Amino acid sequence: MPRFTGSNRLWLAYVACLGGCVTVGPDFHPQHEGWAEHWSDPAIEQATMQHAQPDASQWWQVFADQNLERLMAEADAHNADLKIAGLRVLEARAQLGIAQSGRYPQVQQIGGDALYTKSRHSGNSGPNSSGSWQYGIGFDIGWELDFWGRFRRAIEAADAAYFASQANRDAVLVLLHAQVADTYFTMRTAEARLRIAHENAALQKRSLEITERLFKSGESDELDLQQAKTQYLSTLSNIPTFESQITLARHALSVLIGRPPGPLPELDEQPGKEGVIPLVDHAVLQDVPADLLLRRPDVRAAELHMASQSALIGVAKADLYPTVTLLGTLAWSASSSSGTPSSLLSASEVAGSPSELALAIGPSVTWNVFDHGRIVNNVRVQDARLQQLVVTYQDTVRQAAREADDAATGLIAALQRDSVLHDAEQAAGRSLTLANTIYREGYSDFQRVLDAQRALSAQQDAYIVNRSNAVGSLIALYKAVGGGWRTEQPLVDPATREQMEQRTHWGDLIKESNAPSAAPLPPEGQSR
């Protein structure tokens, strides 16, 4: 057993103590811009109201549509992008485990060997041969002290990356719920426009039949007939377009909820919703827009990526300084001059063989003094990457504010147009009635009937499209403030979990039932 002098003990104690308190590299601080912390906008204030219900995490409940709610639940359970995002959280958690292993001895090796040596020599008595066996087993340990915080910074980086993966999963949820709702109401809009096209085609068909009868009886010229026919066929040509839009929207919904294109029984759970476009005049929020903006999942993810990269600067800087490693070896060796193979030796013969037990332990210092700029430039690379992420974060916040402002502005404009377009639709219907009456009584030509039919069709379609724009702007507003981040589904669904556990031992890692939603940033300088 080695013996340590007083000076050696003091030196080792100094190294261990200093290794626990020195951390190179910058400490991360959030890069919030002043305007973002107090951001608001007249359009946002006009288009939103603060209320406890419904919760913005499940904002689609404002539509009171059970069909939509069932589609949301199916998407949460089976969407492919969401599954991948959950698996990336597991991957990041495993990466964090790798980083945390740096707290322990990096080298822990057990080795053994058995060597047989045979020699042959000649003498007075003639040729002679002999053999010997050598046995050895040893345990080596090497522990690089975290003198400059290399491993602490690596854990800090992996920890921030882990939380960033959770935020990315929340961002996938926000996008997924917005896509499901937007696609659903795109389908409902196409259904409403298809219904209007059928209704107008029926009106125009009756006009065509009348003009055809009048033309055959000689009471009208062919121009009225051909104009009526043109308008009728033009309206009919729109019907396949709307039917195609409905089919495509159903296909998109099927993929969003993790199915191949096919029937969607969820759309028939609540009858009477075909072609219905609800009008919701404001978004319900539980906090001020500025706070919601900074808690938006993609904004949080951008900030966490900055925190991770900031820690990597410390990892790179640690290479500028010497590394202090505690090395230890415990070895046992034995030899036998017998020419008998070890498998044939008796236990007493092995036990009686000469053997040696050795223990060695002590510190080792290495310092890469002449790196020709490699380490310094690596630190610069990491710092440049951090600055890129700072700019990316600031731009992400600006883009989020623009999205929210655009959506609120679009919602307000659509709401203002709604009542006007409704009155215009009523007026167009009344105009068609009057035009038909005047035409039948012979006080007007057929052109006024055609104009009135065209105006009615256009106003009805414009009214439905504007309602669709209002719904789309409301969905975009909720998405812009990060609404819809919560789900009851686990990170990994049971079938995938079973498949993965058959391949790999996951321990307790894969047993997490739910991913944290809207997780705050970890405290500065701390890891979780």
Side-chain angles (χ1 to χ4, degrees), residues 45 277 323 395 405 510:
E45 294 177 357
I277 313 297
T323 61
D395 186 63
D405 195 7
I510 205 171

Side-chain angles (χ1 to χ4, degrees), residues 481-500:
V481 297
W485 67 84
R486 187 171 300 161
T487 179
E488 299 299 326
Q489 295 297 325
L491 279 175
V492 181
D493 62 275
T496 302
R497 170 182 166 180
E498 181 180 358
Q499 184 180 18
M500 294 177 69

